[in-house]
Amino acid sequence: MLTIRDIAAKAGVSVSTASRALNNNPRISAATRKRIQALATAEGYRPNYNAKNLTSGEANAVGVVFPTSDRNSTDNPFYIDILRGINTELMKRQYVLSVAISKTADALLENVKSMVAQGKIKRFVLLYVHQNDPVAAFLRDKHLHFVTIGEPVDGTHDYFVDNDNLEAGIGGAGYLLDQLAVKHPVFVESGHDWGYERQRRQGYERVAAQFNVEPLTCKLSDIEYAQSFIKHHPEIDGIMATDDFNAIEFYRLVREQYAVSHFPVVSYNHSLPTGLTDADLHSVNLFPEKMGSATVSLLFGDRQTGDANAPKQIRIPYEIK
């Protein structure tokens, strides 16, 4: 098996120089780093991660923490695309993914604690933001590096990647009321009270006020409530939902009570296959793969350099189709 000593000998440098070059240490000149890295690639060298982990006290893994939910988040294409972006960037750094998924907040916290204590994982990505989140509090207390998907809601200064959800809400509502000529819209959200849902709802309410229409809102936490809501609002002629799954579920409930088709719908995430529904669906693409890539940039880039002026947040633009 090829070792770093072999690479050092072939390159004509010391083992410490070879090691620093392969780890992009700035103490080694760019030319030397490039030469040694090219040699290692040509020789098929793979680092001994067990030895590296013992030396550094940190695993070559990043913990990715899913939100607790009554719906399987791992089946959501939005999260899959985020993971794809994260994994692509981690591969460049010779890191791997380690996932934490639990149904309750207590179990999720124990999962993360185990990853830190037993797995020696010191970098995390949280695919959510919750006020007073015990996982985020634990990571802060341990002075571990983490980035959240979503802007912090409790006054903390955590690193985060997000869209401008207020602007995305304004853009989506404007498209529904202006381009699709909807007169009686309804805003559909989950029962989780996520920060991004509140922000998109605020955008919707601003646009509704500009168009002088009633800003109806319905939560999908209770199906019987939603069915009753639809029954009492037969005037609804368009839907704006916080994600594609909420949009299609609410549209299904509308169709159970009224003979409608080609119903105007604006939703978010761009995660449904074409032709899955007969609704006039316009999904706002939030570019989750770019969001995943950006989290790794924050997780490794500015934190490693210690640059006080480096950004602590990255905003990803949206696109309506």
Side-chain angles (χ1 to χ4, degrees):
M1 179 179 177
L2 198 68
T3 69
I4 195 167
R5 291 184 181 276
D6 298 321
I7 296 299
K10 289 178 181 290
V13 299
S14 67
V15 172
S16 61
T17 296
S19 176
R20 289 181 180 132
L22 292 174
N23 285 284
N24 279 319
N25 191 311
R27 293 175 60 185
I28 307 301
S29 70
T32 300
R33 276 182 280 159
K34 185 176 180 180
R35 180 173 66 86
I36 294 175
Q37 289 170 5
L39 174 63
T41 300
E43 295 290 331
Y45 170 73
R46 292 291 182 273
N48 185 335
Y49 287 123
N50 289 332
K52 183 178 179 180
N53 294 346
L54 287 173
T55 301
S56 67
E58 176 183 355
N60 63 307
V62 167
V64 178
V65 186
F66 278 79
T68 57
S69 175
D70 53 2
R71 189 169 69 194
N72 194 347
S73 300
T74 56
D75 291 340
N76 190 326
F78 180 75
Y79 289 119
I80 293 173
D81 285 341
I82 288 180
L83 290 179
R84 184 179 292 111
I86 292 173
N87 192 57
T88 297
E89 292 301 315
L90 289 183
M91 288 176 63
K92 298 176 183 177
R93 294 166 171 80
Q94 298 178 329
Y95 270 65
V96 296
L97 281 170
S98 182
V99 174
I101 303 176
S102 299
K103 291 184 177 180
T104 68
D106 288 342
L108 189 63
L109 178 59
E110 290 305 311
N111 194 343
V112 172
K113 286 182 176 180
S114 177
M115 294 168 80
V116 173
Q118 300 175 31
K120 303 300 180 184
I121 296 176
K122 296 186 177 181
R123 302 171 194 266
F124 288 84
V125 175
L126 275 57
L127 299 180
Y128 66 93
V129 172
H130 246 337
Q131 193 165 15
N132 300 320
D133 176 48
V135 171
F138 168 75
L139 295 177
R140 288 189 212 104
D141 183 62
K142 294 297 181 180
H143 304 290
L144 299 176
H145 301 329
F146 72 97
V147 178
T148 64
I149 297 290
E151 185 174 356
V153 294
D154 49 9
T156 61
H157 299 284
D158 300 331
Y159 285 59
F160 71 91
V161 174
D162 202 359
N163 309 102
D164 187 330
N165 285 294
L166 177 61
E167 282 300 318
I170 291 172
Y175 193 89
L176 185 70
L177 298 181
D178 187 19
Q179 299 296 316
L180 301 180
V182 168
K183 303 298 182 185
H184 304 285
V186 59
F187 182 84
V188 180
E189 59 188 348
S190 75
H192 296 294
D193 196 34
W194 297 111
Y196 68 86
E197 291 188 307
R198 291 195 301 271
Q199 292 166 350
R200 292 174 194 169
R201 187 192 330 122
Q202 290 169 5
Y204 159 78
E205 290 170 346
R206 287 190 189 184
V207 175
Q210 293 172 3
F211 280 76
N212 197 29
V213 301
E214 183 181 2
L216 292 176
T217 299
C218 181
K219 290 185 181 294
L220 268 182
S221 54
D222 188 313
I223 296 300
E224 290 185 0
Y225 167 78
Q227 290 172 328
S228 176
F229 181 93
I230 293 168
K231 181 179 180 180
H232 286 87
H233 293 282
E235 75 278 10
I236 292 173
D237 62 349
I239 300 168
M240 178 174 167
T242 52
D243 67 35
D244 295 334
F245 291 97
N246 286 336
I248 295 306
E249 177 63 10
F250 191 84
Y251 178 60
R252 181 186 68 80
L253 296 175
V254 169
R255 291 194 67 199
E256 285 182 354
Q257 297 195 38
Y258 305 107
V260 297
S261 63
H262 206 63
F263 205 72
V265 177
V266 170
S267 59
Y268 294 78
N269 295 350
H270 199 60
S271 54
L272 295 178
T274 302
L276 185 63
T277 175
D278 66 354
D280 182 15
L281 179 64
H282 300 266
S283 188
V284 180
N285 192 346
L286 302 175
F287 299 103
E289 192 164 343
K290 291 183 180 179
M291 295 178 75
S293 298
T295 62
V296 178
S297 175
L298 286 184
L299 195 61
F300 285 85
D302 45 35
R303 287 183 183 271
Q304 279 192 332
T305 62
D307 182 358
N309 296 317
K312 296 186 67 173
Q313 59 176 268
I314 297 177
R315 297 279 186 180
I316 306 298
Y318 69 91
E319 180 182 72
I320 301 177
K321 293 186 176 180

